[in-house]
Amino acid sequence: MTRASVEAILCCDEYESTLLVCQGHSHTLLYWLDMDLLILGFPQSGKTSLFSALTNRQVAPGAYSGGTSNGMAKVPDERLAALTKMFKPQKVTPAEIQYIDTPAMGSGRKQTSALGGELLNLMQGADALVHVVRAFDNPAVSVAEGAATPEEAIVGMDLELAMVDLAILERRKERLTSSLRGAKATERANIEKELELVTRVHDALEAEVPVYKQDISKEDRLTLANFNLVTAKPMMVVLNVGEDDATDTAKMETEWTGRLSEQGRVVVGLCAELEMELAELSDEDEAEFRDSLGIKEAGRDHVARASYELLDLVSFLTAGPDEVRAWTIAKETSAQKAAGKIHSDIERGFIRAEVVTYDDLMAAGGLAEAKKVGKFRLEGKTYAMQDGDVVNFLFSV
Ligand SMILES: Nc1nc2c(ncn2[C@@H]2O[C@H](COP(=O)(O)OP(=O)(O)O)[C@@H](O)[C@H]2O)c(=O)[nH]1
Ligand SMILES: [Mg+2]
């Protein structure tokens, strides 16, 4: 096979099973396939309600309090509807992002951090964190200690996360200091360099600047990546408001975005319980209900949009009579890597990519028309993929 279309690959069983096998494995494998965002927060803040709203899993609130749950959320993309009109495919598949619901964190009053054990492992493996903050009144649901107000919860969580990283950095400092004692002259420079870095990052973190927001060179970030620091991850803060405030979250978002700009947070306001209930309705009923409530954007769409912003993600598109589909990649991902998102064979046997921008395709009215007016480009392995690129990968295996 010297040339095959993406669609042919998408139809074969092997593709499905490859994906399934990968998803059953560790985060390192998931990393290039899916972006995953870990939902965390104080007990009874609405984590599971939000997870249900995002993934439409209809998990009862209060459930999973002792466990972890993974689910995929669809990324809204108006371009898919237009492409569907143009190609009349058998199948339409939106891009997806993975969210992970986590067990309640422990109590920080104990000797160890409230974020230890399994939760810490999950956090270290995630691409980003979503901190759910209780901003609703509900006399029937007790308020967690240390999270009486949104302010307290945000400060408290940031402190917990900082403590995790400070402990990691202190351990590293100790090791480096002791290895410096017996080090040969040739090794000293490297150890001293890392010690300087670790000390600098540690001190800035103590001054309440998360590693994510610190001014650190690319090279130093690579060194730090080995330690899986949790404050190095981008974080979204979801203010979980009550039903009465659900229509008017914009002001709150602006205010909190300003207050948390030092920490580099992306802020979203929504009512998790209401969003969960709305997500269970049919599309028509949901739209009608939202209209009557005056909520313009679905909470899950808002969070997906914020997740894209947080992780600097874009979508590329594939389109044909079999399937129209959107794929999530990091901005500027090379064409060859992006091909691997579809199938590892396409990445391995990459020849080139036929690319037309979504806008050019729409303006031309079809693939053949776009080709005729010279809007089709042939791009090589290193081409930096752009949002809305409609792609056909040519490959040979
Ligand atoms: N009134 C109100 N109650 C909520 C909201 N979100 C969650 N709850 C309630 O708070 C309790 C805990 O919610 P859950 O999602 O299980 O929180 P978790 O412990 O953080 O996973 C449940 O009884 C929910 O019904 C909300 O937006 N408004
Ligand atoms: Mg829960």
Side-chain angles (χ1 to χ4, degrees):
M1 182 166 65
T2 54
R3 179 192 163 134
S5 70
V6 166
E7 290 78 31
I9 284 294
L10 289 176
C11 293
C12 77
D13 285 349
E14 190 202 305
Y15 166 72
E16 296 282 347
S17 54
T18 308
L19 249 189
L20 288 175
V21 169
C22 292
Q23 286 187 337
H25 272 82
S26 67
H27 285 289
T28 25
L29 266 175
L30 280 172
Y31 186 80
W32 59 272
L33 281 175
D34 299 306
M35 285 292 167
D36 56 343
L37 293 92
L38 189 87
I39 300 173
L40 79 168
F42 284 86
Q44 315 274 46
S45 53
K47 297 183 292 297
T48 302
S49 305
L50 176 68
F51 175 79
S52 305
L54 297 178
T55 61
N56 203 5
R57 290 278 288 281
Q58 295 159 22
V59 185
Y64 290 121
S65 54
T68 305
S69 198
N70 299 29
M72 304 304 289
K74 295 179 174 63
V75 178
D77 194 334
E78 286 172 4
R79 296 172 298 200
L80 290 177
L83 288 173
T84 300
K85 260 194 191 156
M86 187 179 277
F87 289 91
K88 303 186 175 55
Q90 288 172 5
K91 200 171 151 197
V92 183
T93 313
E96 288 186 326
I97 337 179
Q98 178 166 232
Y99 294 92
I100 305 170
D101 187 21
T102 59
M105 54 197 261
S107 153
R109 301 278 177 276
K110 293 188 198 120
Q111 274 162 327
T112 53
S113 165
L115 300 171
E118 189 203 351
L119 187 52
L120 179 56
N121 285 338
L122 286 168
M123 287 196 308
Q124 292 192 305
D127 293 307
L129 307 175
V130 178
H131 179 199
V132 181
V133 176
R134 173 170 173 155
F136 62 86
D137 269 331
N138 187 341
V141 179
S142 65
V143 179
E145 193 184 339
T149 62
E151 180 113 56
E152 204 182 310
I154 290 170
V155 171
M157 181 61 75
D158 283 350
L159 197 65
E160 287 291 344
L161 294 168
M163 268 165 28
V164 168
D165 284 356
L166 286 172
I168 295 171
L169 291 165
E170 270 154 29
R171 274 201 303 276
R172 188 68 195 161
K173 247 164 78 174
E174 276 165 25
R175 285 194 88 153
L176 289 167
T177 310
S178 78
S179 61
L180 202 54
R181 277 185 220 119
K184 292 190 208 117
T186 46
E187 296 163 352
R188 288 193 76 89
N190 275 340
I191 302 175
E192 276 166 356
K193 197 172 158 214
E194 190 182 331
L195 189 58
E196 183 277 324
L197 169 67
V198 170
T199 307
R200 176 157 44 90
V201 171
H202 176 277
D203 293 352
L205 187 55
E206 233 171 17
E208 290 175 20
V209 186
V211 177
Y212 175 70
K213 231 348 202 172
Q214 291 183 25
D215 194 6
I216 299 170
S217 72
K218 236 184 174 166
E219 188 197 336
D220 286 348
R221 287 226 175 251
L222 276 176
T223 307
L224 290 175
N226 295 319
F227 311 142
N228 272 325
L229 299 171
V230 288
T231 72
K233 296 178 192 296
M235 186 197 261
M236 185 190 317
V237 170
V238 172
L239 298 162
N240 183 13
V241 302
E243 291 73 357
D244 296 343
D245 299 320
T247 49
D248 190 25
T249 53
K251 221 177 95 197
M252 197 179 191
E253 277 170 17
T254 312
E255 189 209 321
W256 278 99
T257 302
R259 285 169 74 170
L260 301 176
S261 64
E262 272 295 292
Q263 282 78 34
R265 308 294 192 224
V266 169
V267 181
V268 169
L270 51 76
C271 175
E273 199 166 51
L274 182 64
E275 289 296 337
M276 181 183 78
E277 283 160 10
L278 287 168
E280 286 170 20
L281 302 174
S282 69
D283 288 355
E284 297 80 42
D285 288 353
E286 182 181 344
E288 198 178 305
F289 205 3
R290 266 187 207 289
D291 244 20
S292 72
L293 289 167
I295 303 174
K296 285 185 203 79
E297 187 180 25
R300 59 178 181 278
D301 293 353
H302 194 166
V303 172
R305 202 156 50 77
S307 302
Y308 260 50
E309 182 191 333
L310 194 66
L311 284 162
D312 237 344
L313 303 175
V314 296
S315 293
F316 75 86
L317 306 152
T318 52
D322 294 326
E323 188 179 36
V324 160
R325 182 160 179 168
W327 307 81
T328 306
I329 49 168
K331 203 165 157 183
E332 306 271 296
T333 295
S334 72
Q336 188 171 20
K337 269 250 169 67
K341 176 94 195 175
I342 299 173
H343 196 289
S344 54
D345 281 352
I346 309 180
E347 180 177 352
R348 207 155 37 86
F350 184 94
I351 300 171
R352 54 185 174 270
E354 295 181 333
V355 184
V356 57
T357 68
Y358 169 82
D359 288 337
D360 284 345
L361 177 62
M362 285 300 134
L367 282 178
E369 292 82 352
K371 244 176 210 166
K372 226 177 275 162
V373 292
K375 293 296 184 187
F376 244 81
R377 285 173 281 130
L378 288 178
E379 301 285 2
K381 289 178 179 176
T382 57
Y383 168 69
M385 298 281 289
Q386 303 298 313
D387 185 53
D389 278 346
V390 182
V391 190
N392 183 34
F393 291 110
L394 308 183
F395 68 104
S396 149
V397 283

